[in-house]
Amino acid sequence: MVDTVAKKRKVSKKTKKSWRKHVDTKDVDSFLDNERLEERLGTPFAQRKDEELFAVDRTRDESALQESSGLSKKQRRELLKNTEPKCFAILKPHTAVPDPIVKRNRVRTPEERKSIIRKQKEAERKLKGQLKLKERVAIKNRLLAKEKRANQPKRGEFKVDVWKKEPIVEAELKSEWLTNDTVRHTLANTGKKRKRVPESLHKKPSVLPAVNAPHPGTSYNPSFKDHQELLAQVAAEEVKLMKEEEHLNRVTNKMFRKVTAKQKDADNLTEMSEGLPLPNQKQDDDSDEDNDPNVRSINPPALNVKKTLVQRRKQKEQRKLQQQRLKQKIEKKKVADIYHLNHLGKQISKKEQKLGLLKEKREKIKAKKELEPKVLSRHKFEPLEQEFLMGDEIAGNLRNTTPAGNLLKDRYKSLQQRSIVAPGALQLKKTKSKVKRYIKADHKIELKKVTKK
C-alpha cells in the first residue's frame, strides 16, 4: 500500500494572525530556548574541555587542618562567625545571564532623606531634653525590657515560687473599698499581673483518706473485744435493713385491705351512682324561678355620672389629709423608737444569736456533706458490706486463713466514695433500639407468574 502524502494547502499569510496560525515556529522556539539555557548555564558540558570542567586543588586548607587539630569550642565558634552563612547562597545570582539594568535606583531610608539642617535641629532638641511622645514611650519601653531581662531567671534556675510570690501593689490600691477584680484589672494595665491560683489545684475532691485502715476485728487473730465489736456492728446494720423492709411493707402492702371482686364491683357502683335520683323518688318542682320571663339582675350596671367640681375638691382635700396623717404617723413612730432602744437591742441580739445557731448548723451540715460522696450520676453510692468471720471460722494463723473480700472492688468503691469515679450499676443486658428495615421501591424485584399453556 502506497502512503499518500497530503498536499500543502495554499493559505494567505497576509496578516499577522494568519502568519502565526499557518507558520510552524517550533524549530525557532527550541533554538531560542537552547540559546537562553546556554546563556544561563554556559556552554554544554559535552562541548567544554577537561580543563574547564576539572581542576586539581594544590592549595592547603587551613580551616580543615585547624579542625583536625585540637581546637576548643570557643575557637570553632569564632571560625564559624567569620565564615559566610549558607543562608546567603539564596541571595547570590545562580545564572550566568548579566543583569539588563546595570544602574538601579535604591530607595533611601528616612534617615538618609533628612536634610542636614533638620538633623542639626533634632540634635539640638534632644540635647535640651525636648523629646516627642513617641520617643518618650520608646525610652520607657526600653527601660522596662531591660528590667525584665535583668529579672528573668536563667535556664534551669528555680529559686522563686511563682504562686507564693505576691505582686507589688501600690499604696492607693490597698484599700478596703476596691475589690480584687478592680485591683487585678489595674495591675494588668500597668504591666504587673496578679496571679490567681485555681482552687482545684490545692483542693482534693474529698477529705476522706485514700486507704482506710480495716477494722481490727477482721484480723486473722483478733482479740475477743474487737471481734465482738465487729459482730455487733454487722448485727446493727442487719437490724436496720430489716426495719426498713418492715416499714416499706407496712406502708405499702398492709395499708390496703383485701376485697373480693364482687364487693369491689358493688362499691364501685355505689360510688358512681352517688347523687343520682332513685327510681321511686319524686323530684321537687324547684324550676319555677327559671321559667320567670322577667329577668332582673342582682347588680344593675352603674350609670357613668361625672363628678362635680365640689366632689373633686373634697376628694383632693381628703387625699392631702391622708398623706399628712401618714407623715405624722411615721414621725411619731420615729420618736417612739428612741424610747424603745433597749427593746430593739434585745431583738437584734436575739436575731444575731439565731443567725449564729443557723450558721453553726449549716457548718455542721457542710462538714457532714464533705464526708459523703457527691452526686455524679443517677446511681446512688452503695458501700461494700462489712466482711466478717464467725468465732469458729477464725484460723488463728496466716497459713490456714481464708481470703475474705476483693481488693479490686475495695479500691473501686474507694474511688467512688472520694468522688473520683461516678458510681454505676452493672449492666448485664444491653438494650438496643429497634431499627425499622424496609426495601426501597427501586430495589424491589417483581417476579412475573409463569402461566402454563
Side-chain angles (χ1 to χ4, degrees):
M1 188 175 177
V2 182
D3 295 334
T4 58
V5 180
K7 290 183 179 181
K8 285 187 178 181
R9 289 176 61 195
K10 288 184 179 182
V11 290
S12 174
K13 299 177 185 177
K14 185 178 179 182
T15 58
K16 283 186 179 180
K17 187 177 180 182
S18 60
W19 180 273
R20 288 170 186 157
K21 186 176 180 182
H22 301 294
V23 173
D24 189 12
T25 58
K26 288 181 181 178
D27 53 348
V28 180
D29 292 339
S30 62
F31 173 75
L32 291 174
D33 288 340
N34 291 332
E35 287 293 322
R36 293 191 197 102
L37 184 65
E38 285 183 11
E39 285 177 1
R40 290 200 305 272
L41 305 176
T43 56
F45 292 107
Q47 298 176 11
R48 294 187 193 182
K49 296 179 181 180
D50 293 344
E51 289 79 9
E52 294 179 2
L53 294 173
F54 303 103
V56 181
D57 189 8
R58 295 187 180 87
T59 59
R60 185 176 178 183
D61 193 359
E62 296 292 337
S63 61
L65 290 170
Q66 287 175 355
E67 286 180 5
S68 60
S69 61
L71 287 176
S72 62
K73 191 175 182 180
K74 190 175 181 182
Q75 290 174 346
R76 283 197 221 98
R77 284 189 175 180
E78 289 293 331
L79 285 171
L80 283 172
K81 282 181 184 178
N82 296 329
T83 55
E84 185 181 296
K86 291 181 180 180
C87 61
F88 287 173
I90 197 171
L91 302 175
K92 290 183 177 181
H94 58 279
T95 175
V97 179
D99 192 356
I101 304 171
V102 179
K103 188 179 179 182
R104 289 184 177 274
N105 295 329
R106 188 178 67 82
V107 180
R108 294 183 298 170
T109 60
E111 195 67 29
E112 290 174 352
R113 286 199 294 271
K114 288 179 184 177
S115 63
I116 300 169
I117 299 167
R118 188 180 175 186
K119 287 180 181 177
Q120 288 176 356
K121 285 184 178 180
E122 285 186 357
E124 289 174 3
R125 181 173 55 78
K126 286 180 181 178
L127 284 171
K128 290 178 184 178
Q130 299 174 358
L131 299 174
K132 294 180 181 179
L133 177 62
K134 192 176 181 181
E135 293 171 350
R136 289 199 299 270
V137 171
I139 292 167
K140 185 181 176 182
N141 290 339
R142 279 197 292 271
L143 290 173
L144 286 171
K146 188 178 179 182
E147 185 183 353
K148 189 177 179 181
R149 282 195 301 272
N151 295 332
Q152 193 173 6
K154 294 179 182 178
R155 183 179 289 181
E157 287 185 359
F158 303 100
K159 295 180 180 178
V160 183
D161 190 355
V162 293
W163 296 111
K164 289 185 179 179
K165 185 180 178 183
E166 294 183 359
I168 301 166
V169 184
E170 302 295 335
E172 58 265 17
L173 294 175
K174 292 180 179 178
S175 174
E176 60 181 351
W177 303 104
L178 298 177
T179 60
N180 291 332
D181 293 333
T182 308
V183 176
R184 196 179 298 108
H185 174 76
T186 310
L187 289 173
N189 284 279
T190 53
K192 299 173 183 176
K193 291 186 179 180
R194 173 179 279 185
K195 296 178 180 67
R196 181 170 58 181
V197 186
E199 293 182 1
S200 59
L201 295 177
H202 296 285
K203 191 176 180 182
K204 292 182 179 179
S206 177
V207 296
L208 295 171
V211 180
N212 289 318
H215 196 276
T218 57
S219 174
Y220 66 93
N221 191 15
S223 62
F224 180 75
K225 184 181 177 183
D226 294 338
H227 189 251
Q228 291 299 316
E229 284 180 2
L230 177 64
L231 292 178
Q233 184 179 344
V234 173
E237 290 178 0
E238 192 66 27
V239 168
K240 187 179 178 182
L241 290 173
M242 289 169 66
K243 282 183 178 180
E244 285 181 3
E245 192 175 350
E246 288 177 0
H247 170 71
L248 290 172
N249 190 24
R250 186 173 65 253
V251 298
T252 53
N253 295 336
K254 291 186 178 180
M255 278 183 68
F256 307 102
R257 59 189 181 87
K258 291 182 179 180
V259 183
T260 59
K262 190 175 181 181
Q263 183 67 25
K264 187 178 179 182
D265 293 339
D267 293 343
N268 191 16
L269 184 63
T270 52
E271 282 182 18
M272 299 304 291
S273 61
E274 190 70 31
L276 295 174
L278 296 173
N280 300 328
Q281 187 179 358
K282 294 182 179 179
Q283 295 183 359
D284 298 332
D285 296 334
D286 296 333
S287 60
D288 296 338
E289 295 178 0
D290 297 338
N291 299 326
D292 190 6
N294 301 323
V295 179
R296 298 175 183 177
S297 75
I298 299 168
N299 295 323
L303 297 174
N304 188 10
V305 181
K306 291 187 177 180
K307 295 178 183 177
T308 61
L309 292 173
V310 177
Q311 287 176 339
R312 290 183 184 280
R313 179 173 53 78
K314 287 183 178 180
Q315 192 177 7
K316 195 174 182 182
E317 288 174 359
Q318 289 296 326
R319 202 181 298 120
K320 282 184 180 179
L321 285 171
Q322 190 178 359
Q323 289 178 357
Q324 287 177 3
R325 282 196 296 271
L326 186 64
K327 286 181 182 178
Q328 288 175 2
K329 191 175 180 181
I330 291 168
E331 293 295 328
K332 191 175 179 181
K333 190 175 184 303
K334 287 180 182 177
V335 175
D337 286 344
I338 296 169
Y339 299 102
H340 291 84
L341 287 175
N342 293 332
H343 179 65
L344 291 171
K346 287 179 181 178
Q347 281 184 348
I348 291 166
S349 61
K350 192 175 181 181
K351 192 173 183 181
E352 286 179 351
Q353 188 178 2
K354 188 178 179 180
L355 290 172
L357 291 171
L358 285 171
K359 189 178 179 181
E360 288 179 4
K361 190 177 180 181
R362 286 195 205 99
E363 286 178 355
K364 286 180 181 177
I365 293 168
K366 189 178 178 181
K368 187 180 178 182
K369 281 187 176 180
E370 285 181 355
L371 299 172
E372 296 174 356
K374 296 176 183 177
V375 180
L376 300 178
S377 67
R378 62 189 181 90
H379 298 287
K380 193 178 179 182
F381 170 74
E382 295 180 359
L384 286 172
E385 295 181 359
Q386 181 66 53
E387 300 291 339
F388 69 97
L389 293 173
M390 299 304 290
D392 54 350
E393 295 175 353
I394 297 172
N397 52 25
L398 279 171
R399 182 177 292 176
N400 297 328
T401 189
T402 55
N406 191 340
L407 186 61
L408 189 62
K409 280 186 180 179
D410 180 54
R411 291 297 84 217
Y412 188 65
K413 286 290 182 181
S414 175
L415 292 172
Q416 290 182 356
Q417 192 176 10
R418 288 181 287 137
S419 304
I420 297 171
V421 176
L426 187 63
Q427 192 173 1
L428 298 174
K429 186 181 178 183
K430 290 185 179 180
T431 55
K432 291 185 179 180
S433 57
K434 292 182 180 179
V435 182
K436 187 177 179 181
R437 301 183 182 276
Y438 61 93
I439 301 170
K440 288 185 177 180
D442 56 344
H443 289 188
K444 289 180 181 178
I445 300 170
E446 295 181 0
L447 298 174
K448 294 180 180 179
K449 294 181 179 180
V450 181
T451 56
K452 293 182 181 180
K453 290 183 181 180

